[in-house]
Amino acid sequence: MRAIQIDRFGTPEVLDLVETPRPAPGPGEVLVRTVASGINPVDDKTREGAIGEGAPPLPTTLGWELAGVVVDGGDSPLEAGERVIAMSHQLGTTRGTWADLVALPAEAVAVAPRAVSLVEAATLPLPGLTALQTLDWLAVSAGERLLIAGAAGAVGGLALQIARARGVEVDALVSRDAQAGFAREHGAGLVSTDPAAFRGGGYHAVFDTFGAFVTDAVADGGRYASIATQAGPVPDLSARGVRTTVHQVREDGAGLAELARLVDDGALRPRVHATYGLQEIRAAHERFREGGLAGKIVVTF
Ligand SMILES: NC(=O)c1ccc[n+]([C@@H]2O[C@H](COP(=O)([O-])OP(=O)(O)OC[C@H]3O[C@@H](n4cnc5c(N)ncnc54)[C@H](OP(=O)(O)O)[C@@H]3O)[C@@H](O)[C@H]2O)c1
């Protein structure tokens, strides 16, 4: 079968389309034929060797998410032919999703949303689970006020929509005008490119997707979650009674099922900026690195 692997770190030129053995699903695993997968910042960092100590041994198959079709459901309730989505913790397991066939624990897989294509569904797993799990940690509830830094990015854009679906009042720090339009269309109240606009905002919770560390926006006794691992820990705010975390995403089939339900209910809209064929993986990574995206780069199999 085909897979995208690296055997050294570097520019997109190190990405190779290679033939690898078909995986044999173990007990409790499901075998999925990949139809599409999104590119995420972690794939870019892994390829260029920016992960540091947690880097996988080489060669490695890249990719953290997929939308596809079940080939063998094993002893799970999933039947062959079912459309599914899944996240694989590539760094922790070395089980990359950029391969024709992927064997995954059944509990990391969920039925795909019916309302969208598998290409659109492929944009959900990694950023969607990150958004959902971080919002759950923030425990932000209907009527409370949330600030999202990076509210039009892959994670932030989904977090904005999920939070609004939960009745949360959301304000948005974004990087450019095009992103401000997205945030407003999706129900953000105050939208600004200037972090100072949120100073003293008294937010119950802050969801920081890029290391903005807008700690003066959170109310005393509030919650502050970052996902920007590379930016380091959130400053200690315990003197103000603010709980802080740097959330690390986990595989979570139940969370994926919740994301699929939100899509089918019309509360969550996946965004595809562009699609590339598997043979165009280097060009896809180049486009990802250029930035200025309005949605995800999806690789189709
Ligand atoms: N800890 C975890 O488990 C976990 C999971 C998923 C992702 N992450 C990390 O979280 C980060 C976000 O991931 P993502 O997939 O959402 O990336 P993304 O799609 O690039 O989103 C980041 C957003 O932040 C915006 N931004 C960056 N710098 C800004 C600034 N100075 N002011 C205002 N906005 C700014 C970006 O705008 P532009 O598009 O204009 O640059 C973009 O909209 C990445 O570093 C990723 O590695 C961590």
Side-chain angles (χ1 to χ4, degrees):
M1 66 165 191
R2 301 170 304 165
I4 300 293
Q5 291 198 339
I6 55 168
D7 61 8
R8 62 198 185 286
F9 300 117
T11 67
E13 291 299 307
V14 302
L15 294 160
D16 278 325
L17 180 57
V18 298
E19 282 295 318
T20 59
R22 183 186 165 105
E29 288 191 333
V30 172
L31 187 65
V32 180
R33 177 171 294 283
T34 308
V35 170
S37 176
I39 298 182
N40 290 288
V42 66
D43 302 309
D44 192 51
K45 291 172 196 158
T46 305
R47 190 210 66 242
E48 69 183 5
I51 294 294
E53 270 185 18
L58 302 182
T60 190
T61 299
L62 296 178
W64 277 64
E65 61 190 355
L66 63 76
V69 176
V70 174
V71 173
D72 179 354
D75 50 14
S76 82
L78 293 165
E79 298 201 353
E82 184 79 79
R83 297 161 79 251
V84 290
I85 52 176
M87 191 200 97
S88 177
H89 197 300
Q90 195 271 344
L91 287 179
T93 63
T94 68
R95 188 203 309 121
T97 59
W98 293 353
D100 281 321
L101 294 166
V102 184
L104 293 151
E107 57 271 20
V109 181
V111 174
R114 311 251 173 239
V116 297
S117 69
L118 286 177
V119 168
E120 292 169 291
T123 64
L124 292 169
L126 174 56
L129 285 181
T130 307
L132 202 62
Q133 292 168 4
T134 305
L135 285 172
D136 286 346
W137 184 89
L138 286 167
V140 63
S141 49
E144 286 196 317
R145 296 178 60 241
L146 170 70
L147 172 62
I148 303 179
V155 175
L158 295 174
L160 167 60
Q161 296 178 68
I162 297 167
R164 292 296 296 137
R166 292 178 175 181
V168 176
E169 300 300 323
V170 184
D171 289 346
L173 171 59
V174 296
S175 68
R176 43 196 161 92
D177 287 345
Q179 294 194 331
F182 168 87
R184 287 197 188 93
E185 275 166 34
H186 289 81
L190 175 62
V191 179
S192 178
T193 55
D194 180 4
F198 307 99
R199 193 165 291 151
Y203 292 93
H204 296 101
V206 177
F207 187 154
D208 184 349
T209 73
F210 66 87
F213 296 135
V214 279
T215 53
D216 45 11
V218 67
D220 290 356
R223 290 87 72 194
Y224 194 110
S226 166
I227 57 163
T229 316
Q230 74 287 351
V234 181
D236 182 3
L237 303 175
S238 55
R240 295 172 46 206
V242 176
R243 290 197 300 129
T244 62
T245 192
V246 179
H247 180 75
Q248 300 299 330
V249 68
R250 347 170 263 284
E251 295 177 0
D252 175 8
L256 291 174
E258 187 175 346
L259 293 168
R261 183 183 56 72
L262 286 163
V263 172
D264 286 338
D265 288 350
L268 194 57
R269 267 193 279 155
R271 285 185 298 158
V272 176
H273 183 93
T275 58
Y276 289 79
L278 199 58
Q279 311 81 339
E280 303 171 296
I281 188 68
R282 293 177 182 176
H285 266 235
E286 291 288 4
R287 181 63 196 90
F288 179 84
R289 295 174 89 198
E290 271 173 38
L293 301 174
K296 287 186 67 173
I297 301 292
V298 178
V299 179
T300 55
F301 282 68

